[in-house]
Amino acid sequence: MAWGRGPHRVDRMNDVRLDCQVLVVGAGPTGLVLGAELLARGIRTRIIDQGDGVTLQARAIGVHARTLEVLDMMGLAERFIQRGQVVRQIRWYSVGKHLVSLEFARSGSRFGMFLDLPQDETERLLRARVAELGGVVENRTELTGLTAGPDAVIAAVRDRSERGVITAGYVVGCDGAHSRVRHELGLTFHGHPYPQDWVLADVLLDTDLREDAAHAFFRPDGLPAILFPMRDHRWRLTLPFAGSRSGEVPTLEEIQQLTDQRMPRPVTVSDPTWLANFRCHRRSASAYRRGRVLLAGDAVHIHTPAGGQGMNTGIMDAHNLGWKLALVAGGRSPDALLDSYGTERLPVAQDVLKLTHTLVRYGTISHPVKRRVRDVVVPVLSRSPLIQRRAVGRLSHVYVAYPPGPWRAPMAAGAGPGPASACPTFRSERTASSPRCTACCAAAATFCSFPLTLPVCWPTLRWAPTARTSTSSPSTPGKHPDAVTAAPGRSSWSARMAMSERGAGQAACTR
């Protein structure tokens, strides 16, 4: 292991010797996506993780449409879809009676689905992408301290045999709920725990439930059972508020007993591959950045698994931060651009905490009058296509948008959607002599390929909506049947592009 020397190229920043431009602490999905984004942009990046490698537990399994759009820009979406279980809708039941269904096809994304893929598979795919980009995940390497200066950050690290330091231009803590980076910054993790433990089980179920849908069963006592389908006819069974278990892992017999209590009809549980018990918290850090040290993912916000939001929010953090940090670390944009990261992502995290808490309250209502109101009003509201689109768009992160900021480039009248707003798919008509946005156009001379964002060359592009092509997927309500010509080697986009991800930092890209 190289402590400030070895195969890593050495830079100098104001006469400070750097072992790497960015040090990413934590190799979960958030850290791996950030590392890949930085490596793809030519930033010398090191990724350390105190674990032995890929997590052995399924943990987070839900990949929403907005995350699939990010993965598509990384060239990974098809790999994920091939390995995952496609979920088309989520169905809610009350006392065994079907209450409402939400159709993920209404999200407005061409990925009109929710993909169930165990976290260990997600990490394997992302680690493979990091390796393809020339990166290495340094396992069994623990951060033990940070010393941040005006020009660099010195990270004290250790593996199982030696100690050392890594000097980096920037450090990003993607090291989870118990983040050492956050602890070193002295940031408060505001919030509270939920009163009881949750139980998870990845099992086989003797059931005829649809395997292209997730199912949530509500009970009069407020103790629900939620089932997410996985590959090979397996299911993720989630049982909230299963008492205070003091960290004790449940047995299969206990899972069967809880299932018998909560399901409207008998279901046999068998062949567990993972059983887990944990206490949920609802917390967020007081800041996303302190100088040259930043936080992302669970290091800065945690909540219940309701709605499958956690990993997706962390990946969105990494995607928002990645291009900005690449520009700043590469000397192509001022350091102040990084302030827009927290400005844009903090409201999103707050909304996610609010959403997950609302979903928990919605599914655990025990008061008879409130339960009756829910069971009558919600089905009526769900018949509205507008409400369906809004609900699914919020769950799938497709409706995320960022407010204007000091970095936002002015838009000419009639130029189309601006940064931080949704835009339909378009065909870019450029010539070899057209200006090229070097920071975000990952394309050959005659093509533009935009990573979920409107590039700075947006005002100069000719708006040319096209009819459906053979590469387009079927339209769904609210979609535009347009296509975008992609760069050579990349799949064409259909329906509508994702919401703009660059947000306030748009003007920082070089023209």
Side-chain angles (χ1 to χ4, degrees), residues 361-408:
R361 293 177 58 192
Y362 172 83
T364 57
I365 295 174
S366 58
H367 191 283
V369 175
K370 293 180 180 180
R371 192 175 67 251
R372 178 61 178 168
V373 170
R374 177 196 67 190
D375 294 354
V376 171
V377 173
V378 171
V380 173
L381 294 177
S382 69
R383 297 190 189 113
S384 164
L386 176 62
I387 291 178
Q388 281 263 346
R389 286 195 297 271
R390 286 182 175 177
V392 175
R394 188 178 180 192
L395 274 174
S396 59
H397 292 238
V398 172
Y399 277 13
V400 170
Y402 301 125
W407 294 94
R408 178 169 171 171

Coordinates of all heavy atoms in Angstrom, one line a residue, residues 361-408:
R361 N -45.8 6.8 8.5 CA -47.0 7.2 9.2 C -48.2 6.7 8.4 O -49.2 6.2 9.0 CB -47.1 8.7 9.3 CG -46.0 9.3 10.3 CD -46.1 10.8 10.3 NE -47.4 11.3 10.7 CZ -47.8 12.5 10.6 NH1 -47.0 13.4 10.1 NH2 -49.0 12.9 11.0
Y362 N -48.2 6.8 7.1 CA -49.3 6.3 6.3 C -49.5 4.8 6.4 O -50.7 4.4 6.5 CB -48.9 6.7 4.8 CG -49.9 6.1 3.8 CD1 -51.0 6.8 3.4 CD2 -49.6 4.9 3.1 CE1 -51.9 6.3 2.5 CE2 -50.4 4.4 2.1 CZ -51.6 5.1 1.8 OH -52.4 4.6 0.9
G363 N -48.5 4.0 6.5 CA -48.6 2.6 6.6 C -48.8 2.1 8.0 O -49.1 0.9 8.2
T364 N -48.7 2.9 9.0 CA -48.8 2.4 10.4 C -50.0 3.1 11.1 O -50.0 3.0 12.4 CB -47.5 2.6 11.2 OG1 -47.2 4.0 11.1 CG2 -46.4 1.9 10.5
I365 N -51.0 3.6 10.4 CA -52.1 4.2 11.1 C -52.9 3.1 11.8 O -53.3 2.1 11.2 CB -53.0 4.9 10.0 CG1 -52.3 6.1 9.4 CG2 -54.3 5.4 10.6 CD1 -53.0 6.8 8.3
S366 N -53.2 3.3 13.0 CA -54.1 2.4 13.8 C -55.4 3.0 14.3 O -56.3 2.3 14.6 CB -53.3 1.9 15.0 OG -52.9 2.9 15.8
H367 N -55.4 4.4 14.3 CA -56.7 5.0 14.7 C -57.8 4.7 13.7 O -57.6 4.9 12.5 CB -56.5 6.5 14.8 CG -57.6 7.2 15.5 ND1 -58.8 7.5 14.8 CD2 -57.7 7.8 16.7 CE1 -59.6 8.2 15.6 NE2 -59.0 8.3 16.8
P368 N -58.9 4.2 14.1 CA -59.9 3.7 13.2 C -60.5 4.8 12.3 O -60.7 4.5 11.1 CB -61.0 3.1 14.1 CG -60.8 3.7 15.4 CD -59.3 3.9 15.5
V369 N -60.7 6.0 12.8 CA -61.2 7.1 11.9 C -60.1 7.5 10.9 O -60.5 7.6 9.7 CB -61.6 8.3 12.8 CG1 -62.0 9.4 11.9 CG2 -62.7 7.9 13.7
K370 N -58.9 7.7 11.3 CA -57.8 8.0 10.4 C -57.6 6.9 9.3 O -57.4 7.2 8.1 CB -56.6 8.3 11.1 CG -56.6 9.5 12.0 CD -55.3 9.8 12.7 CE -55.3 11.0 13.6 NZ -54.0 11.2 14.3
R371 N -57.7 5.7 9.8 CA -57.5 4.6 8.8 C -58.7 4.6 7.8 O -58.4 4.3 6.6 CB -57.5 3.3 9.6 CG -57.0 2.1 8.8 CD -56.9 0.8 9.6 NE -58.2 0.3 10.1 CZ -58.6 0.4 11.4 NH1 -57.8 0.9 12.3 NH2 -59.8 -0.1 11.7
R372 N -59.9 4.9 8.2 CA -61.0 4.9 7.3 C -60.8 6.0 6.3 O -61.1 5.8 5.1 CB -62.3 5.1 8.1 CG -63.6 5.1 7.3 CD -63.8 3.9 6.4 NE -65.0 4.0 5.7 CZ -65.3 3.1 4.7 NH1 -64.5 2.1 4.4 NH2 -66.4 3.2 4.0
V373 N -60.4 7.2 6.7 CA -60.2 8.3 5.8 C -59.1 7.9 4.8 O -59.3 8.2 3.6 CB -59.7 9.5 6.6 CG1 -59.3 10.6 5.7 CG2 -60.9 10.0 7.5
R374 N -58.0 7.3 5.2 CA -57.0 6.9 4.3 C -57.5 5.9 3.3 O -57.3 6.0 2.1 CB -55.8 6.2 5.1 CG -54.7 5.6 4.2 CD -53.9 4.6 5.0 NE -54.6 3.4 5.3 CZ -54.2 2.5 6.2 NH1 -53.0 2.7 6.8 NH2 -54.9 1.4 6.5
D375 N -58.3 4.9 3.7 CA -58.8 3.9 2.8 C -59.8 4.4 1.9 O -60.1 3.7 0.8 CB -59.3 2.7 3.7 CG -58.3 2.0 4.5 OD1 -57.1 2.3 4.3 OD2 -58.6 1.1 5.3
V376 N -60.5 5.5 2.2 CA -61.5 6.1 1.2 C -60.9 7.1 0.3 O -61.1 7.1 -0.9 CB -62.7 6.7 2.0 CG1 -63.6 7.4 1.1 CG2 -63.4 5.6 2.8
V377 N -60.1 8.0 0.9 CA -59.6 9.2 0.1 C -58.5 8.8 -0.8 O -58.4 9.2 -2.0 CB -59.1 10.3 1.1 CG1 -58.4 11.4 0.3 CG2 -60.2 10.8 1.9
V378 N -57.5 8.0 -0.4 CA -56.4 7.6 -1.2 C -56.8 6.9 -2.5 O -56.3 7.3 -3.6 CB -55.4 6.8 -0.4 CG1 -54.3 6.2 -1.4 CG2 -54.7 7.6 0.7
P379 N -57.7 6.0 -2.5 CA -58.1 5.4 -3.8 C -58.7 6.4 -4.8 O -58.5 6.3 -6.0 CB -59.1 4.3 -3.4 CG -58.7 3.9 -2.0 CD -58.2 5.2 -1.4
V380 N -59.5 7.3 -4.2 CA -60.1 8.3 -5.1 C -59.0 9.2 -5.7 O -59.0 9.5 -6.9 CB -61.1 9.2 -4.3 CG1 -61.6 10.3 -5.1 CG2 -62.2 8.3 -3.8
L381 N -58.1 9.7 -4.9 CA -57.0 10.5 -5.4 C -56.2 9.8 -6.4 O -55.7 10.4 -7.4 CB -56.2 11.1 -4.3 CG -56.8 12.0 -3.3 CD1 -55.9 12.4 -2.2 CD2 -57.3 13.3 -4.0
S382 N -55.9 8.6 -6.2 CA -55.0 7.8 -7.1 C -55.6 7.6 -8.5 O -54.8 7.2 -9.4 CB -54.7 6.5 -6.5 OG -55.8 5.6 -6.5
R383 N -56.8 7.9 -8.7 CA -57.4 7.7 -10.1 C -57.0 8.9 -11.0 O -57.2 8.8 -12.2 CB -59.0 7.7 -10.0 CG -59.5 6.5 -9.2 CD -61.0 6.3 -9.3 NE -61.5 5.3 -8.4 CZ -62.3 5.5 -7.4 NH1 -62.7 6.8 -7.1 NH2 -62.7 4.5 -6.6
S384 N -56.5 9.9 -10.4 CA -56.0 11.1 -11.2 C -54.6 10.8 -11.8 O -53.7 10.6 -11.1 CB -55.9 12.3 -10.3 OG -55.2 13.4 -11.0
P385 N -54.5 10.9 -13.1 CA -53.2 10.7 -13.8 C -52.2 11.7 -13.3 O -51.0 11.4 -13.1 CB -53.5 10.8 -15.2 CG -54.9 10.5 -15.4 CD -55.6 11.0 -14.1
L386 N -52.6 12.9 -13.0 CA -51.7 13.9 -12.5 C -51.1 13.6 -11.2 O -49.9 13.7 -10.9 CB -52.4 15.3 -12.4 CG -51.6 16.5 -11.8 CD1 -50.4 16.7 -12.7 CD2 -52.5 17.7 -11.7
I387 N -52.0 13.1 -10.3 CA -51.5 12.7 -8.9 C -50.6 11.5 -9.0 O -49.6 11.4 -8.4 CB -52.7 12.5 -8.0 CG1 -53.4 13.8 -7.7 CG2 -52.2 11.8 -6.7 CD1 -54.6 13.7 -6.8
Q388 N -50.9 10.5 -9.9 CA -50.1 9.4 -10.1 C -48.7 9.8 -10.6 O -47.7 9.3 -10.1 CB -50.7 8.5 -11.2 CG -51.8 7.6 -10.7 CD -51.3 6.2 -10.3 OE1 -50.2 5.8 -10.7 NE2 -52.1 5.4 -9.5
R389 N -48.6 10.7 -11.6 CA -47.3 11.2 -12.1 C -46.5 11.9 -11.0 O -45.3 11.7 -10.9 CB -47.5 12.1 -13.3 CG -48.0 11.4 -14.6 CD -47.8 12.3 -15.8 NE -48.6 13.5 -15.7 CZ -49.9 13.5 -16.2 NH1 -50.4 12.5 -16.7 NH2 -50.6 14.7 -16.1
R390 N -47.2 12.7 -10.2 CA -46.5 13.4 -9.2 C -46.0 12.5 -8.1 O -44.8 12.6 -7.6 CB -47.4 14.5 -8.6 CG -47.6 15.7 -9.5 CD -48.5 16.7 -8.8 NE -48.6 18.0 -9.6 CZ -49.4 19.0 -9.3 NH1 -50.1 19.0 -8.1 NH2 -49.4 20.1 -10.1
A391 N -46.8 11.5 -7.7 CA -46.4 10.6 -6.7 C -45.2 9.7 -7.1 O -44.2 9.6 -6.4 CB -47.6 9.7 -6.2
V392 N -45.3 9.2 -8.3 CA -44.3 8.3 -8.8 C -43.0 9.1 -9.2 O -41.9 8.7 -8.9 CB -44.8 7.6 -10.1 CG1 -43.6 6.7 -10.7 CG2 -45.9 6.6 -9.7
G393 N -43.2 10.4 -9.7 CA -42.1 11.2 -9.9 C -41.3 11.6 -8.7 O -40.1 11.7 -8.7
R394 N -42.0 11.7 -7.6 CA -41.3 12.1 -6.3 C -40.6 10.8 -5.8 O -39.5 10.9 -5.3 CB -42.3 12.6 -5.3 CG -41.7 13.1 -4.0 CD -42.7 13.7 -3.1 NE -42.1 14.2 -1.9 CZ -42.8 14.5 -0.8 NH1 -44.2 14.4 -0.8 NH2 -42.2 15.0 0.3
L395 N -41.3 9.7 -5.8 CA -40.6 8.5 -5.4 C -39.4 8.1 -6.2 O -38.4 7.7 -5.6 CB -41.6 7.3 -5.5 CG -42.6 7.0 -4.3 CD1 -43.5 5.9 -4.7 CD2 -41.8 6.7 -3.0
S396 N -39.4 8.3 -7.5 CA -38.3 7.9 -8.4 C -37.3 9.0 -8.6 O -36.4 8.8 -9.3 CB -38.9 7.5 -9.7 OG -39.6 8.5 -10.3
H397 N -37.4 10.1 -7.9 CA -36.5 11.3 -8.0 C -36.5 12.0 -9.3 O -35.7 12.9 -9.5 CB -35.1 10.8 -7.6 CG -34.9 10.4 -6.2 ND1 -33.9 11.0 -5.4 CD2 -35.5 9.4 -5.5 CE1 -34.0 10.4 -4.2 NE2 -34.9 9.4 -4.3
V398 N -37.4 11.6 -10.2 CA -37.4 12.3 -11.5 C -37.9 13.8 -11.4 O -37.5 14.6 -12.2 CB -38.4 11.5 -12.4 CG1 -38.6 12.3 -13.7 CG2 -37.8 10.2 -12.8
Y399 N -38.6 14.1 -10.3 CA -39.1 15.5 -10.2 C -38.1 16.4 -9.4 O -38.4 17.5 -9.1 CB -40.5 15.5 -9.5 CG -41.6 15.2 -10.4 CD1 -41.4 14.8 -11.7 CD2 -42.9 15.5 -10.0 CE1 -42.5 14.5 -12.5 CE2 -44.0 15.2 -10.9 CZ -43.8 14.8 -12.1 OH -44.8 14.5 -13.0
V400 N -37.0 15.9 -9.1 CA -36.0 16.7 -8.4 C -35.5 17.8 -9.3 O -35.2 17.6 -10.5 CB -34.8 15.9 -7.9 CG1 -33.7 16.8 -7.4 CG2 -35.2 14.9 -6.9
A401 N -35.6 19.1 -8.8 CA -35.1 20.2 -9.5 C -34.4 21.2 -8.5 O -34.7 21.1 -7.3 CB -36.2 21.0 -10.2
Y402 N -33.5 22.0 -9.0 CA -32.7 22.8 -8.2 C -33.0 24.3 -8.4 O -33.3 24.7 -9.5 CB -31.2 22.6 -8.4 CG -30.8 21.2 -8.2 CD1 -30.1 20.4 -9.1 CD2 -31.1 20.5 -7.0 CE1 -29.7 19.1 -8.9 CE2 -30.7 19.2 -6.7 CZ -30.0 18.5 -7.7 OH -29.7 17.2 -7.5
P403 N -32.9 25.1 -7.4 CA -33.2 26.5 -7.5 C -32.1 27.3 -8.2 O -31.0 26.8 -8.3 CB -33.3 27.0 -6.0 CG -32.4 26.1 -5.3 CD -32.5 24.7 -6.0
P404 N -32.4 28.4 -8.8 CA -31.4 29.3 -9.4 C -30.3 29.6 -8.4 O -30.6 29.7 -7.2 CB -32.1 30.5 -9.9 CG -33.6 30.1 -10.0 CD -33.8 29.1 -8.9
G405 N -29.1 29.8 -8.9 CA -28.0 30.3 -8.0 C -27.1 31.2 -8.7 O -27.2 31.5 -9.9
P406 N -26.0 31.6 -8.0 CA -25.1 32.6 -8.6 C -24.3 32.1 -9.8 O -23.8 32.8 -10.6 CB -24.2 33.0 -7.4 CG -24.3 31.8 -6.5 CD -25.7 31.3 -6.6
W407 N -24.3 30.7 -9.9 CA -23.5 30.2 -11.0 C -24.3 29.9 -12.3 O -23.8 29.5 -13.3 CB -22.9 28.8 -10.5 CG -21.9 29.0 -9.5 CD1 -22.1 28.9 -8.1 CD2 -20.5 29.3 -9.6 NE1 -20.9 29.2 -7.4 CE2 -19.9 29.4 -8.3 CE3 -19.7 29.5 -10.7 CZ2 -18.6 29.7 -8.1 CZ3 -18.3 29.8 -10.5 CH2 -17.8 29.9 -9.2
R408 N -25.6 30.1 -12.2 CA -26.4 29.8 -13.3 C -26.2 30.7 -14.5 O -26.3 31.9 -14.3 CB -27.9 29.8 -12.8 CG -28.9 29.5 -14.0 CD -30.3 29.3 -13.4 NE -31.3 29.2 -14.4 CZ -32.5 28.8 -14.2 NH1 -32.9 28.6 -13.0 NH2 -33.4 28.8 -15.2

